[in-house]
Amino acid sequence: MTAGVASLGWAAGDVLVLTRRHLLQVLREPQALFWTMVQPITNVLLFVYVIGGIVALPDGGSYRDYLMAGVFTQTVVFSAASTAIGLAEDLQRGVVDRFRVLPVARSAVLLGRTVADLVRNTALLAVMMGIALLVGWRAPNGIGGVLAGAALIEFFAYAVGWLGVMIGLSVPNAQTATAAGLTWVFPLMFVSSSYVPLASLPGWLQPVAEWNPLTAVVSGARELFGTQAGVAGLGHPSIPLAHPAVTAVAWAVAVIAVSVPAAGRKYARLSRS
């Protein structure tokens, strides 16, 4: 048992070291972090000041408050592409090969990447929330609701990060990782309740959007923030809309259950090659 505890401590130490390495890379490339923030900030300004005036919620709620949970979720979910790109670049440069010949716990290489991205996403989400407050977003449930909503978004983003790991280990280069990491995000984001109420979608598309995992995450965050709106007009909401936070957690757990073992197998094959 003592040996098992020692091995666990050794692995945890390796995770911390590799997490620190990835975070230092972010600090040494502030331009990349800056441009990562430009798109969501632009989205906020466009949707609030350009499109917000023509989007009406069925229950008459504030579109500004409705919008922000979608922007927050988009910002951190897009980080899955960054995870895939970063891992693909490390593979191309031979960094992962060097880790494989060092006395480093195998799990630490992948965990260090995902934990570092979680820390980066937390900082990015905090900045985005500050900008949202500046343009008039308010969370009626107070700081507790904000923290709970942020935790829900971050948990789902961490799960999606493992999809990024799986993509990064599966593609031949960073350019392919960019395309593969972003292509699936856009349909999920726009066929959801992220930017428009589901009642505004065509009837045949509404059930698809209701069961979209991003709809659950965004609706769950709105519920926790106290800004839940836009569900009116759908008649009897489906299970994901009736219990969005629980559904979002279930989706995140399912993604982790599939992605982590798959990523582990892909990394093990690399180690044997």
Side-chain angles (χ1 to χ4, degrees):
M1 183 172 178
T2 302
V5 172
S7 297
L8 185 61
W10 169 53
D14 288 345
V15 171
L16 290 175
V17 169
L18 291 176
T19 298
R20 180 175 179 272
R21 170 189 176 268
H22 296 308
L23 291 176
L24 286 175
Q25 282 184 314
V26 173
L27 293 177
R28 289 168 183 164
E29 298 177 356
Q31 300 91 341
L33 183 61
F34 170 78
W35 288 110
T36 299
M37 294 174 58
V38 166
Q39 182 180 4
I41 292 173
T42 302
N43 284 350
V44 169
L45 297 178
L46 284 175
F47 277 91
V48 169
Y49 294 111
V50 179
I51 303 175
I54 60 175
V55 177
L57 301 180
D59 50 14
S62 166
Y63 179 71
R64 190 167 303 185
D65 291 342
Y66 178 88
L67 167 69
M68 293 308 169
V71 174
F72 299 155
T73 302
Q74 173 192 301
T75 301
V76 296
V77 168
F78 272 4
S79 70
S82 300
T83 302
I85 294 165
L87 192 52
E89 287 178 343
D90 281 350
L91 284 168
Q92 272 187 291
R93 295 171 181 170
V95 175
V96 174
D97 290 332
R98 290 196 289 272
F99 287 149
R100 281 157 45 192
V101 300
L102 292 173
V104 176
R106 180 187 300 173
S107 59
V109 176
L110 304 184
L111 280 171
R113 167 71 62 178
T114 57
V115 172
D117 288 342
L118 178 64
V119 174
R120 185 194 62 183
N121 285 341
T122 301
L124 190 57
L125 186 57
V127 171
M128 291 305 304
M129 285 185 168
I131 293 170
L133 288 171
L134 290 177
V135 299
W137 173 69
R138 296 295 180 265
N141 287 350
I143 186 64
V146 169
L147 293 176
L152 179 67
I153 294 172
E154 288 286 355
F155 181 52
F156 185 79
Y158 181 74
V160 172
W162 279 100
L163 282 178
V165 169
M166 193 167 60
I167 292 170
L169 293 172
S170 304
V171 298
N173 51 56
Q175 291 76 16
T176 307
T178 302
L182 289 175
T183 300
W184 60 272
V185 176
F186 286 101
L188 282 180
M189 285 301 305
F190 288 102
V191 185
S192 73
S193 64
S194 298
Y195 297 118
V196 295
L198 296 184
S200 67
L201 298 177
W204 62 269
L205 194 56
Q206 288 178 11
V208 177
E210 289 178 30
W211 286 92
N212 183 335
L214 292 188
T215 292
V217 177
V218 172
S219 298
R222 288 184 184 125
E223 185 177 67
L224 294 168
F225 294 153
T227 58
Q228 180 73 319
V231 178
L234 287 177
H236 299 287
S238 60
I239 293 174
L241 292 180
H243 309 283
V246 175
T247 305
V249 171
W251 273 115
V253 171
V255 171
I256 290 173
V258 172
S259 301
V260 172
R265 286 193 295 270
K266 287 183 178 295
Y267 185 74
R269 292 192 197 104
L270 288 176
S271 298
R272 290 194 295 267
S273 60

